[in-house]
Structure formats: C-alpha cells, structure tokens
Amino acid sequence: MTGDRRVWHKSWPEPARRALFGVFLALILAASRVYARDGVDLVGRRVNLPEVPQRVVTLAPSLTEMVFALGAGPRVVGVSRYSNYPEATRDLPRVGSYVQPDVEKIVALNPDLCLVVKDGNPREVVDKLEQVGIPVYAVNPKNLDQVMETLIALGEVLQARDAAKALVADMKRRLHAVDERVRRVPQRPGVFFQIGVSPIVSVGTETFAHELITRAGGRNLAEGPEPYPRFTVEEVMALRPDIIVISSMERDQTFERVRQQWLRWPNIPAVALNRVVLVASDLFDRSGPRLVEGLERLVTILHPELD
Amino acid sequence: MAVSNRLETPMGIVTPARLVAVTLMCAAGLLGAIVFGMAVGSSGTDFTAVFRSLQGKKALEATQWTILWRLRWPRVLMAMETGAALALGGLVFQALLRNPLAEPYILGTSGGAAVGAILGILMGLSPFPGVGAAAFASSALSLALVVLLASGRAGLRREALLLSGVMVNAFCGALILFFVSTTQDARLHTILFWLMGDLSRADMAVVWRLGAVLAVCAVILFAMARPMNVMLMGRDVAKSLGVSVTWMRLFLLGVTTVMVSAAVCATGLLGFVGLAVPHGLRLLFGPDHRVLVPACFLGGGAYLIGCDALARWIPQHGEMPAGVVTALIGAPLFIVLLRRATR
C-alpha cells in the first residue's frame, strides 16, 4: 500500500510534486499555529500570542504588579529592576531597568511573552525582541479606567479572565465607595504633591497622581499641560497649599529631611496646620491595581473629618 | 623619540610583503577581538560557545544561538565599523592638520555630527540620507570653524587648534544636552547614547548602511595614502612633488567627515578612538600611511570591539556605555601625548 503510494506520486511531474510539498508544509505550519493566538495589543500592534503564556517577562514595575494581582505570578520568569511588589518578586531575575532593558538577559530567560509599556520602554528594544521571535504585548494605561481595561486585557492574554474580572470588580467597588464619601466634603483643599526633591518637582494634569488628588476631593495646585513641572520654594509659597504631600520611594530619611525643610516656612498654610505628609510613591505613580489603595490613603489625608 | 618627529620623518619603501604581514597581524588581532566580543555578555560569558556555534545551529541551544548571532553579532559588526571609521578619521586628521593630537572627538567633529543628527531627527528626516546628510553638514561646519579659528599666518597653530576644538566640542555637548532634555522625543533615545557612545542599539540595517559608507571611504583613503605621506613633509615639498595641497586637504577632510558623521549617527559620541589606535599602530609599524591606513582600519575595529566587550564585561549587572571605556583609556593617553608633543 505504502509502496504503491510512493510509486504513484513519483510518477507526478516535478512542479506538481513541489506544489504537493508546499501544501504539506502549509498544513504543518497551520497545525503549529493552533497553539498560538493572533491578537492585537492595547496600542494596536498585532501580536501572535502563545495559547497559555508560561514564561512571562515584565518590563515595568506596574506590569509586574498587574500580572501578580491576576494570580499569574508563578509564570513570571523575569522582571524590571525596580519591581519590588509583591514580596514574591524579590528573588526573580532582573532584566535591566524600565528605560534600559537588557535584551540579552531577556532572551536568555527564554520567555514566551514579554509585556511592555508604550511610554517608557524603548521602541528599539521591542523591535529587537520581535526580531528574535519573542511575542511582545504592549499596554499604555493613562488613567484609572484604562488601568482596569488593561487588567481585563491582560486577563485575556494570560488566560486569567476570572481573576481579572474579580479584581476589577473589587477596584470598581472601592472606587465607588470613595466617590460616595468624597461627594459629601464641604471644601476641596489645595494640594501640593511633591515627587522630586532638588529641584522641587510636582505633577501636572496628565498624571495618575493628579487623577487621585482630584478624585480624593482635592485641588492639584500644579495642574497644567506640563506633566512634571518644576518649582522653587517661593513659587510653592505663592500657591499657598493647604496640604503638602511628599511622595517618597521608601527613602524615609531623605524625605523626612525634606519635610523638616518645609517646616521652616510657617507662612505656608500646610506647615502652619502641620499638614506635611509622606506617602509611598509606588501607590501613586504605578499604573497598577494598588492605585486604589493610594486613593483611599489620600482621602484619609485630605479629609480626616470623614473618618 | 618625540611624536612630532615621528610624524615628520621622510618615508622609506613599503614592500608588498610588509604590507601583507602588517595586514595579517592586524587581521589576527581583529579576529581575536571578534571572538572576545561574541563571548562576553550580560547573560553570561562563554568562549567555547563561540567556537561551537561555528559548527552550525545544532551545536547550541536555540536561545544561546539567538543571543550570539542575533544580538551580539550585529553589535560586534557595528563596533568594528565604528572603530575603523574613527581610527581612520584620527589618522587622516593627524596627517592633514600636522598635529599628533588631532582626533574627530577632540576637534568637535563628532560633536558637530551628533548635533546635526539630532536636528535631523527632530525635523523628521529619514535616517538615510536625511539624518546622515544633516550630520555631515553640521560636522563639516564645526570642523571648518575649528580650522578657521586656529589658522594663523604660519598655518595651523597647534594649541589654538586643540583649544578651538575643545570649545566647539563643549558647545556641541551643551547643545546635545539642551535638545535631548528639552524635547521629550522618543526618537532621540537617551542622552547617554549621544554623549557617551553606546552600541547597545546595534541593528543589521544600520550595519549595512554604515558598512557601505565605510567601504567606499576606506578605499579612497588607501588610494590617497601616498599623497598623505607627502603632505606630512610640508607644503613646499608637497608642491614641488606636484601635490595640490589645498584641494587634496579639502577632499580628504571631506571624505573623513562623511565617515565620522556616519559612525556618530549609529553610535553617538565615542571619544579618543582616533587618538589611541593610530598612535598605538605608529609605535608598532612606523609612520608610513600606506601601512597605517589598512592597519587603522582593522586595528580600529578590533580596538572598539574590545572596548565594547569590556563595557559589557566589567559591570556586575547590565552594561556601561562603550564611550566610558574609550575615554578611560584615551584621555590619559592624550595627556601623555600632549606632554611629549610640547616638550
């Protein structure tokens, strides 16, 4: 039988044999693609995703937090340098920083999916990863709503849909609770949100911190088109902030010193009222699920009268 | 023996055999550097893997193969091309300006190219020829400025040339910082890339483009090696031997500037390569340009591959820009040469 068949196709002319071979090849390729999915990421790039990503590399702390929050932490094999949350990330290999990822280290980890942020991770790195055949899925959340959309999308990508739905439902519930509380506040205090020490840097309208301040019932005194505007001490005095929030990367000693410096200027209302506070910056500048936690903390700071 | 004298000795005869011998020696050095550059990296250093990978794809794990041939190989090639371009650039500048300390970075030619490239990128020109042409124009302009500033009645004054170069260089550095820090343009990569020279963005498309430019320029320079020897003997000698000094100078400076600005577009500012390599090779092989042009081409490539490999090897985590290594080696060398030249 098999012998027959061999003779039968040997008798075919060469072009037909080639065509047959081509058909076989196409079939084999098609079969291999069953294990992958074609998708479009959140910045509109086409990505060929693995069916269930098993070896994920995240190139930003926010992405690390999102993947872990979706319960896919065990599938993360490499993270960016400053990914410090949750605790389980501590021993994971580092693949360079957010702005300077180390392509060689990423490739060496043999990932089947790399998650990147459009604003921050360099374009060339993404191109190079794709060249060597690693699927790259990019996200670009700009506000709380988009963070939740991103979580749902990542739930799709990582086959963790239920976890994503539950997580987003919880975030929505907490956001709603905050909105309800803030609706009853009598006045909206002016907030100076400080993210840089020397020079003094604050946050403009296009930032997560701005959204959180506004939603927590405050006015961002540094609002405007410039995302990270610089200030001098006299400019801050002129703004007369009711509250100064110093956002720190857990470098408490430095920021305690900054707080002491503000305390020299009692003509600033925030200082006179002893309302210069420190917060953990990770809760305000990382586009992850913990932004809600930052928001809740900010409500407590701005409106202690609600508690 | 002072460097300046070394530059001005009349030339002997170069036999083809000597040329072949020198070329082979430099090629061996280049090969060694390539192996080193391929073996070293942030994911681990493995010399045997380089040799095993020559047996074909099956000899290595897929991941390791990718790292070696898709990531490190383009980088090694780009380092080789850039090193060759900068070393040749230094060699030609030293001959034409009759100054042992002339070098594209020190004279502000590289800085000028970087400013032009950044402006080209901000104006939205295509990488080739647009940005390349902008880099060339701006680097030719800064070179012309330096030469004009340094021209006195008695030709180019050595200290004046260096001083104006340093000033133009500082000004270009300030401009680069200004553009990169005020325009949040993702296409500008990082400040580090433009100020310290960085090869981590090596890409095959760039390798081909730069290679084509370099090949043409290197052939021209090799053909002009004899006139370059004559130029070193001074204007009058050159004239009596029938070399049209002014045009020759302009033409050679033009070719060199093309080469240097192409290298700068690809890798940012790498200092002192054009100083370390030609001087090292002069000590080894003597001052004849018919030998030095091919030697600098191969040796410059080897030198920068080595510097970049060190930049990847030394830090515990990640890597540093290759320009850090070239400056750590080159700047002290510059001081030594300066002392010898002024003594």
Side-chain angles (χ1 to χ4, degrees):
Chain A
M1 177 97 190
T2 40
D4 277 354
R5 193 183 300 150
R6 205 179 317 144
V7 171
W8 157 80
H9 94 71
K10 264 270 169 39
S11 64
W12 281 26
E14 180 64 21
R17 285 227 304 266
R18 282 220 185 120
L20 194 69
F21 177 71
V23 168
F24 269 124
L25 202 66
L27 278 173
I28 289 164
L29 282 175
S32 70
R33 289 177 74 88
V34 169
Y35 298 103
R37 301 172 286 160
D38 268 328
V40 174
D41 70 8
L42 295 177
V43 299
R45 296 163 55 260
R46 298 191 48 124
V47 195
N48 184 246
L49 293 164
E51 188 57 35
V52 185
Q54 294 299 349
R55 299 184 60 80
V56 183
V57 168
T58 52
L59 288 193
S62 58
L63 284 163
T64 310
E65 290 197 23
M66 287 200 226
V67 174
F68 272 83
L70 295 173
R75 291 188 262 152
V76 176
V77 294
V79 296
S80 65
R81 182 175 304 157
Y82 297 108
S83 294
N84 55 0
Y85 186 89
E87 196 59 31
T89 55
R90 183 157 296 204
D91 301 325
L92 286 171
R94 309 279 143 176
V95 294
S97 70
Y98 170 73
V99 281
Q100 271 204 306
D102 184 336
V103 177
E104 187 172 310
K105 273 219 168 94
I106 298 167
V107 173
L109 290 168
N110 203 7
D112 56 8
L113 176 65
C114 193
L115 298 174
V116 303
V117 182
K118 179 176 179 261
D119 293 348
N121 294 145
R123 180 76 223 213
E124 296 86 348
V125 171
V126 172
D127 292 344
K128 198 163 274 184
L129 289 170
E130 297 217 299
Q131 274 173 23
V132 301
I134 296 168
V136 178
Y137 189 93
V139 305
N140 199 26
K142 290 280 165 228
N143 53 48
L144 275 164
D145 285 348
Q146 288 178 4
V147 169
M148 293 188 276
E149 285 161 24
T150 304
L151 282 163
I152 294 289
L154 286 178
E156 283 287 332
V157 171
L158 298 164
Q159 304 281 30
R161 292 181 189 80
D162 296 348
K165 282 201 186 89
L167 179 65
V168 168
D170 178 60
M171 286 172 74
K172 281 198 167 133
R173 190 181 48 73
R174 287 162 71 184
L175 287 170
H176 182 70
V178 166
D179 293 345
E180 282 301 304
R181 290 175 71 198
V182 170
R183 254 193 323 165
R184 293 177 287 126
V185 298
Q187 49 28 305
R188 301 171 72 83
V191 180
F192 185 77
F193 194 93
Q194 186 183 357
I195 59 168
V197 182
S198 60
I200 298 169
V201 181
S202 186
V203 291
T205 307
E206 295 295 311
T207 58
F208 284 104
H210 173 89
E211 188 185 6
L212 298 190
I213 293 165
T214 317
R215 204 154 179 169
R219 288 177 295 119
N220 175 17
L221 298 176
E223 69 185 0
E226 178 73 37
Y228 302 108
R230 293 178 174 195
F231 285 84
T232 58
V233 173
E234 51 185 279
E235 284 173 315
V236 178
M237 278 184 196
L239 287 172
R240 299 188 59 76
D242 301 305
I243 300 169
I244 295 175
V245 178
I246 303 165
S247 160
S248 96
M249 291 202 214
E250 321 293 341
R251 294 173 303 184
D252 284 344
Q253 279 155 350
T254 319
F255 279 85
E256 185 53 40
R257 217 175 42 240
V258 178
R259 202 173 80 101
Q260 293 300 333
Q261 277 169 3
W262 285 120
L263 297 183
R264 287 163 42 207
W265 311 110
N267 55 337
I268 298 176
V271 175
L273 301 165
N274 196 15
R275 297 185 80 184
V276 179
V277 288
L278 303 170
V279 296
S281 61
D282 294 352
L283 301 181
F284 295 86
D285 59 16
R286 274 188 199 179
S287 55
R290 289 198 297 159
L291 281 171
V292 180
E293 206 177 307
L295 178 65
E296 288 164 344
R297 203 162 294 187
L298 209 50
V299 173
T300 315
I301 292 167
L302 301 189
H303 297 288
E305 73 275 8
L306 293 175
D307 291 329
Chain B
M1 175 140 196
V3 175
S4 47
N5 295 350
R6 205 169 252 294
L7 271 177
E8 281 150 31
T9 42
M11 305 299 153
I13 300 164
V14 176
T15 57
R18 178 146 185 267
L19 195 60
V20 169
V22 168
T23 307
L24 280 177
M25 272 163 79
C26 291
L30 179 62
L31 213 59
I34 290 175
V35 171
F36 182 48
M38 291 286 283
V40 168
S42 57
S43 67
T45 300
D46 185 352
F47 282 89
T48 58
V50 181
F51 294 105
R52 271 185 290 134
S53 80
L54 296 176
Q55 298 160 15
K57 237 176 168 150
K58 296 211 167 43
L60 289 180
E61 262 188 281
T63 305
Q64 207 173 15
W65 174 271
T66 303
I67 288 173
L68 249 61
W69 291 104
R70 305 289 300 276
L71 299 179
R72 290 181 192 171
W73 178 236
R75 190 165 174 161
V76 163
L77 288 180
M78 197 156 92
M80 181 175 81
E81 290 169 351
T82 307
L86 294 174
L88 281 174
L91 182 73
V92 178
F93 280 177
Q94 284 150 27
L96 294 183
L97 305 173
R98 301 190 60 201
N99 183 328
L101 298 166
E103 195 260 353
Y105 177 79
I106 296 168
L107 292 189
T109 317
S110 297
V115 170
I118 288 175
L119 280 173
I121 289 168
L122 288 177
M123 287 191 297
L125 303 176
S126 64
F128 191 80
V131 172
F136 168 74
S138 158
S139 111
L141 195 72
S142 63
L143 180 64
L145 186 67
V146 169
V147 171
L148 276 177
L149 285 173
S151 305
R153 275 201 207 115
L156 288 175
R157 287 161 306 160
R158 175 168 295 168
E159 286 71 24
L161 188 75
L162 293 181
L163 263 177
S164 23
V166 166
M167 284 297 99
V168 169
N169 201 3
F171 187 69
C172 288
L175 279 177
I176 292 166
L177 273 168
F178 173 78
F179 287 128
V180 179
S181 37
T182 50
T183 47
Q184 291 291 328
D185 194 316
R187 291 169 304 178
L188 285 188
H189 319 317
T190 57
I191 295 180
L192 214 56
F193 172 88
W194 289 110
L195 287 178
M196 272 280 98
D198 179 13
L199 295 151
S200 65
R201 298 172 194 274
D203 175 79
M204 266 338 251
V206 179
V207 167
W208 285 114
R209 273 209 300 267
L210 182 59
V213 172
L214 177 66
V216 173
C217 294
V219 167
I220 292 175
L221 290 181
F222 187 64
M224 308 280 281
R226 258 190 89 86
M228 271 198 271
N229 285 343
V230 176
M231 306 274 277
L232 279 183
M233 297 175 202
R235 209 183 177 86
D236 304 339
V237 182
K239 269 216 174 104
S240 65
L241 288 171
V243 175
S244 156
V245 178
T246 313
W247 287 111
M248 179 73 68
R249 245 194 202 163
L250 272 177
F251 177 70
L252 281 173
L253 285 177
V255 170
T256 309
T257 309
V258 167
M259 208 166 56
V260 168
S261 52
V264 169
C265 285
T267 57
L269 294 188
L270 288 154
F272 306 105
V273 177
L275 192 78
V277 178
H279 279 288
L281 293 171
R282 249 187 229 110
L283 288 175
L284 280 174
F285 304 125
D288 193 312
H289 285 83
R290 285 164 294 181
V291 174
L292 282 177
V293 169
C296 277
F297 183 87
L298 298 167
Y303 178 75
L304 193 56
I305 292 171
C307 286
D308 182 49
L310 282 176
R312 283 180 280 149
W313 202 28
I314 295 168
Q316 282 291 304
H317 297 289
E319 56 188 50
M320 52 190 179
V324 173
V325 180
T326 61
L328 281 176
I329 299 172
L333 183 75
F334 176 82
I335 308 232
V336 170
L337 291 170
L338 181 69
R339 282 194 60 87
R340 281 169 60 176
T342 49
R343 208 179 284 154

